Amino acid sequence: MAQSDRSSDVPGASQSAAAVLAFGIVLGVVMAAALLYIAASDRRNRLAAAEQQNLALTVGAERLVWLELRNLERALRGIAGDAQRVAATAPQHALPLMAESISDVARRQSELESIVLTDATGRALMDGRGEVRLLQWPDMRTHQPRQAMVVGPLQSHGGRWLLPLAVRMDETRWVVARLQSHELQRLVRDLDIGHTRVIRLREADGRIVADSRGDGYIGRIDDAPVVHAGEPRRVNPEQHYRLDGIIRSTVSGTVPDYPLHVDVGIAREHIMAPWWRLVGVGIVLFALYAAGLAFLVHVLRRNARRREALVQRVSEAAEGLRRAQELGRTGTWTADRDGTITWAGPVVALMGLEKHRRTASGEEFYSLVHPNDRERVAEGFTQAWRSGEPFSIDYRIIGDDGRVRWMAVQGASIVDGDGPPRMAGTVLDISERVEAQRQLADAGRRFRVLFERNPLPFWLFDVESLRFLEVNEAAMQQYGYTREEFLGMTILDIRPPEYRTEVLDDLDEHHRLNQEAARVWLHQRKNGSLLEVRVYATDIEMDGRAARLALAEDVTELMAHQRELAYRASHDMVSGLLNADALAQRIDAMGRAECRIACIQLRGLELIEDSLGLEAGRETLRAMATRIARLGERYGTAGHVRGDEFALVVCPAAAWPQALAQLQSELARPIPGEDTLQRLESWIGVAAVHSGEGTAAQAIGNAGLAAHVARTERRPVVMFDEDMAQHASDRLRLASRVHRAIDTHEFELHYQILWDVAKARPCGLETLIRWPQRDGGYVPPSEFIGLCEDTGLIVPLGRWTLREAAAAQRTLAQSGYGDLSVAVNVSLMQFIDGDVAGDIERVLREFELPRSALHIELTESVLMTRPEQALDTLRRLRNRGVCVSLDDFGTGYSSMSYLKLLPLDAIKIDRSFVRDVHRDERNASICEALLALSHGLGLKVIGEGVETQEQFEWLQRRGCDQVQGFGIHRPAPLAQVLEQLREMKYWVDGPWRTAATSAHH
């Protein structure tokens, strides 16, 4: 069948399937409509039948209850009539007789719990319970004229439910009876309603009086609608019964003449159960029909698709063959014995011939073959005709467009019956393949050149055997092996023996993860020397075998340089110990344990460097570092935190007492120098740390803080506690406040007058810094001066003090006291980090002061710490005419040598010696010796802390030159000092006035 005919069958099959589907859908819709109509009609009929049955039962139940109540009403009316007759015949004995008559009737009426005679308000007139709420009965309020008996609300008494009934006897009395609810319950239960229905008797407020479901429902309130009058009627069929949650179709009615209501209901599920079965059968039938229709349509469509797929495959096969020949650049040919060749398919285009050239004679064909290939092609065809065996020839064709193309021809001779022999075969354009092979050969030559002449070692090895397959000249020169030696070795032979297992593991990991990352390895030359190389490797295939091409870059010097940088980053270059960061990392990397960190602060290295040279100081530092390092190896580890501060880590903490004893012993042992033994002062701060928890850096800082406290308080060992951290935090905050106070000029200077003992007059002022606060008080200098010295703030604060002192001296001169000098205290930090001499020279020039206008006071620590620097500075000051006093003499490491060498003008006896000098022989002896020594050296002597007349007179008798203290003058602002100076003009007996002086004023 033609392709067009086969294609035409497919739409016809599809259309038949669509027609069947359309007819089936219409039929299904009709069937569904019929089923829905039948189901709706059946549902409506069933509900109507159930409602009619409920209505009949409701009417019957109403009649029965009415009859029961009517009988009781007649009985009660009879009792009331009898009681009236008794009252009329024997009025004097009426009440006892009526009670006896009523009791006799009550005994005969077993359905009544009790009968009692009450007054109009319900109070009992005989033995028994009254009915105090009689007048509030709902039935009493709606009492109809023809209604003789009144029904009260349901009551519970003694575990029983009672329905009270009342009949009026006369205007002032009632006969009240109580009907037991089980009588009505029996009446309801005896009705033939089946097991699917519920019948109940309710009051107007919904309280259940009787219920066919059981006594448990009596007394409970159901809020379902209540019909108050008229014929029985249907209540909401979807209403849930609140007490049991079941939906029932209900009919409700009212008992004639009495306030009771009858409900008859049947559960909807019982009514609709047969209907649901009918619906289920209809759904199953419709589903079976739909499934049959779907299956029929599916079969029709499947057959249509199969037919369409068959036609499509035939068409695609023909098209695929054509495209395969075009894409594969192949075609077919046939040749006759006389040499005529016929080409089929795209051969003409492949050979670059014109489209009309479908055949060619032998001569025409050979004219297309490249001259260099004609003889070989002709010989191949001749041999094939002669032998009759298949042949294959690759040759070049020159097309009509002049382009040369490579062709691969395969063929064989064939014989069709008695016909002449022919030859047939395929022709394939292999020009691109030949070109690719040529390029591959060129790439191979270029790779060989790159491989052989690369300046870096190159080699190729077999992945399975690890043997070298090829190496370049650079590899032979680098490793010292010949090519023949390399080819007889494996890559393990150029590794040190201890690294060979690691190489095998790396190869396994490479095969598993297929990673090509570069890595640094340690290799070994033929002469045994080692080198570090970074190896770059990639997988290739060599003659069908898995191989790896590797390039090795010598990075020996680079790695050594990187190790040197890493060492410098983690070690102190002088001591060779770990620095603070590396030490913290070492502790955090240790296993979890409780440890101790000892921070050791040393003093004396600067003195050694200044006196013996920088190298001597470094040798001393290295010797101490070696001792601490040995302890670190024994007990844990050690580090060089900063300049003159080391750290020793002791793990576990149980070894700390022994380690501390050995540490103190090593620190106390002198360090031998070139010609001397050096001793360093040391202080130890200790902090606890748990290694492996990442808190080592903080612990090192805590130990350093404890060492600082030890150095400040002159204690050999101090254990860190949280108060130190708080104190350090407070000091930081105070330092910030001091810095701000310097910038905002919050400080002020007070001045204390110095008294010339011999001349009995003021001779100068000493500056005392004060820091006023907003509350009117002052921060004591002892709290911030030491902090300023530790933080370097003493330098800007000292410069400010010099300027203020210079300004004060100029004010003194303007006020007539230009002969009074102003003394300023200079700290150690100003000598070390500042330019004291330059600062003083600048303020003298700025304020145009005479040479002796400013005095400075030094402590012994300045002279002991930097004696050479102090000597140069003091000489510059002496040349400027600045007087220099030595403050607190005798309290430090007093040395006679610097008293002789340094250009001093005066010394000040500390207040600790002046106190009680007139009654303490030791203080007196010290002061006498200092006075004699100073005067012997030509120095003035100033006594500090003079507070009493006895102290003043003692110093006066011993020749003390000047005094100061609270007994002379308390420090005060400059304005008050000027007032005091004016007042001192009238002192005739020195600082302590006599009565004559007072009389003068």
Side-chain angles (χ1 to χ4, degrees), residues 764-822:
L765 306 178
E766 181 180 358
T767 59
L768 299 171
I769 194 165
R770 295 291 184 264
W771 188 3
Q773 302 300 298
R774 294 180 180 178
D775 59 1
Y778 292 89
V779 178
S782 59
E783 292 188 10
F784 65 85
I785 291 298
L787 175 64
C788 290
E789 291 180 344
D790 292 341
T791 59
L793 291 175
I794 195 67
V795 175
L797 185 61
R799 292 187 180 127
W800 175 85
T801 303
L802 284 174
R803 290 182 54 80
E804 290 296 309
Q809 211 287 330
R810 187 167 62 181
T811 301
L812 288 172
Q814 293 172 353
S815 302
Y817 300 101
D819 59 332
L820 298 182
S821 60
V822 179

Side-chain angles (χ1 to χ4, degrees), residues 179-289:
L179 176 63
Q180 298 189 56
S181 64
H182 67 74
E183 183 65 22
L184 297 175
Q185 184 75 358
R186 179 189 59 76
L187 185 66
V188 170
R189 191 166 52 244
D190 290 344
L191 289 173
D192 185 15
I193 61 173
H195 69 282
T196 62
R197 280 184 171 81
V198 172
I199 183 169
R200 61 185 179 182
L201 191 62
R202 294 190 295 162
E203 294 179 330
D205 61 353
R207 188 177 298 277
I208 299 175
V209 178
D211 196 305
S212 64
R213 291 173 292 181
D215 296 343
Y217 288 89
I218 299 175
R220 302 171 70 178
I221 296 177
D222 195 323
D223 55 5
V226 175
V227 177
H228 294 287
E231 296 296 330
R233 62 184 176 88
R234 182 166 61 107
V235 185
N236 182 8
E238 303 298 332
Q239 179 70 39
H240 280 76
Y241 271 44
R242 185 174 64 84
L243 298 180
D244 57 11
I246 298 175
I247 298 177
R248 291 185 173 88
S249 181
T250 305
V251 174
S252 181
T254 303
V255 177
D257 302 329
Y258 302 105
L260 296 176
H261 308 274
V262 177
D263 299 329
V264 177
I266 182 171
R268 290 290 297 276
E269 63 180 10
H270 292 294
I271 301 173
M272 302 304 295
W275 181 80
W276 281 113
R277 287 194 291 272
L278 177 63
V279 171
V281 171
I283 292 174
V284 170
L285 290 176
F286 188 79
L288 291 174
Y289 170 78

Side-chain angles (χ1 to χ4, degrees), residues 76-99:
L76 293 179
R77 289 171 63 184
I79 293 172
D82 292 343
Q84 284 180 337
R85 286 190 291 275
V86 171
T89 58
Q92 64 278 16
H93 301 290
L95 190 59
L97 293 175
M98 287 189 290

Side-chain angles (χ1 to χ4, degrees), residues 748-753 765-766 768 770 969-978 980:
E748 63 182 34
L749 289 184
H750 286 195
Y751 301 87
Q752 188 176 42
I753 298 174
L765 306 178
E766 181 180 358
L768 299 171
R770 295 291 184 264
H969 173 249
R970 287 184 175 274
L974 184 59
Q976 296 181 20
V977 170
L978 291 173
Q980 185 69 24

